[in-house]
Amino acid sequence: MKKTLHLVAGARPNFMKIAPIARALDARSDLFEYRIVHTGQHYDREMSDVFFEELGIPKPDFHLDAGGGSHAEQTGKIMVAYERICGEQRPDCTIVVGDVNSTLACSIVAKKMQVPVAHVEAGLRSGDLRMPEEINRLVTDSISDWFFVTEPAGRDNLLHEGKPADRVFFVGHVMIDNLFYQRERLERADKSGFESEALKNRFSRFGAVTLHRPSNVDERDALAGIAGALRQVAERLPLVFPVHPRTRGNLEKFGLDLGPNVILTRPLSYMDFLNLWKDASLIMTDSGGLQEETTALGIPCLTLRENTERPVTVDEGTNTMVGCDPERIVAAADEVLAGKGKIGSRPQLWDGRAAERIVAELAEQLG
Ligand code: UD1
């Protein structure tokens, strides 16, 4: 009998992670059938639907429509809605990815219904409990049955926390599977409609920025400091900044001006953004995924955070942690512009085949 799996996604960074898993499951349709559960955590067309279309993810089988609201409201709405679906469907396993509120909510619901939980991108730890994602990671891993890890630190953290070694699998990274897959498609794609293409034609050299962490964008002083640093860097290197809805709201609320050389755009689709950043001289970000993707393609990345749960990007890759102190940000950007950016190498198993390994292991475990 085929096993039935639920594949949960809710927020933008989840979509890139489920795309390769869905493909790998399609390739083993003799063993598995799966249902895609979209929690609706992200709901704007440009934060959600665009990604499903472009990344080739099948339409969700269930849409929980549980976006917006405070953390508790969002998590609660997702739990209530998923409980109904999970109870009716009784899957053999629920697969959750990453560290967003949807990951937490659905893993708790599944586990309480005795449905085994597989966590993809398990074991990452920033050690910073002020990050909502860190709480989500800790809780999800505390009840998961199978742990798929992206880098050796993930494995070490889980073993240190007492997880059984035979449940922890170092498989590489589905985010990088997606990156390589889409990069190949991008080469053949018609880019004429891309916002990035017009910008690339305008500037011979440019940087790209993304910012959305509450610690960077929710308070005036922090965001004003970063805005000042970006303004300064942009005097030497024009910066393209696709703005997350949370950040856009706060830039307007605080009346912050980034100056003429920081070009703000709406959130870009995956391909449009990849088309931009793969040719950037420098990336400045507080995203988790972009730290890893830049390492995979060897692009210098400055991370505007004090810590990272993805240390391999710093130890082996092109990532440098610069915090959110404006002087430090500008000094680090100057270094990169002076040609002293990190070169880095691609981490072990970041080879585009993580999803295949996950599916093979699930076949073994659920068999
Ligand atoms: C969430 C994740 C974060 C991830 C990020 C990527 C959590 C705790 N955080 O943060 O880990 O890196 O997604 O984007 O799960 N909004 C819209 N339209 C949308 C989505 C959100 O307007 O399509 C608004 C919401 O109303 C909300 C705000 O943006 O007020 C933040 O959305 P939310 O999902 O709570 O968190 P993110 O900051 O996006």
Side-chain angles (χ1 to χ4, degrees), residues 107-133:
S107 59
I108 294 176
V109 167
K111 191 66 186 173
K112 285 200 168 176
M113 296 197 147
Q114 325 287 313
V115 171
V117 175
H119 185 200
V120 173
E121 211 186 32
L124 298 180
R125 299 287 181 264
S126 67
D128 180 356
L129 281 164
R130 290 167 305 177
M131 283 178 82
E133 293 83 358

Side-chain angles (χ1 to χ4, degrees), residues 11-13 41-44 47 68-69 71 74 99-102 132-133 136 212-214 244-246:
R12 188 170 56 177
Q41 177 174 345
H42 282 174
Y43 45 86
D44 285 351
M47 295 293 284
H71 281 265
Q74 193 178 75
D99 55 15
V100 303
N101 289 342
S102 304
E133 293 83 358
N136 295 346
H212 73 282
R213 295 263 156 231
H244 184 283
R246 172 195 284 279

